[in-house]
Amino acid sequence: MHTTAEGERLRDAGMAAAEQAAGDDVAAIDLLIARAAATGKPFSANDIRAQIPDDARTAAIGARFAHARRRGVIEPIGYVTSTDPGTHAHQVRQWQGARR
């Protein structure tokens, strides 16, 4: 069984690997998150995924949301039912631009 610190280290390593594999897609994802945050309207990762070209590596989306949260760009405001058929209507985090 992993400790909390070990779990966080593994999580961070996985996010870093996904970001590195995504290459130039990272900047595009960051821009889409910033634009969504600037509207002041709630959004989810599914809203961002819908705007990313099909050939983009989307594995980095979760890592980029975590990065935006740590930087104070976005804040969690609840959950919403996923619109992605692959998630079978599970709840996903809903975000909004951070109030500064």
Side-chain angles (χ1 to χ4, degrees):
M1 179 169 223
H2 296 293
T3 64
T4 300
E6 178 68 5
E8 289 174 356
R9 187 190 68 72
L10 291 170
R11 177 204 63 206
D12 292 346
M15 287 192 308
E19 288 176 340
Q20 186 173 7
D24 293 339
D25 296 333
V26 167
I29 293 167
D30 286 351
L31 180 60
L32 290 169
I33 292 171
R35 285 181 179 166
T39 70
K41 297 177 184 176
F43 63 97
S44 75
N46 290 337
D47 298 317
I48 301 303
R49 279 189 186 91
Q51 299 176 60
I52 296 174
D54 291 337
D55 63 339
R57 294 184 178 253
T58 58
I61 290 177
R64 300 320 298 166
F65 268 81
H67 180 73
R69 180 180 186 180
R70 284 191 306 272
R71 287 184 27 242
V73 175
I74 58 174
E75 60 189 16
I77 59 169
Y79 292 88
V80 64
T81 302
S82 176
T83 57
D84 181 351
T87 60
H88 307 288
H90 289 160
Q91 296 292 295
V92 295
R93 179 77 75 175
Q94 192 170 42
W95 302 92
Q96 192 169 34
R99 296 178 190 98
R100 295 180 188 198

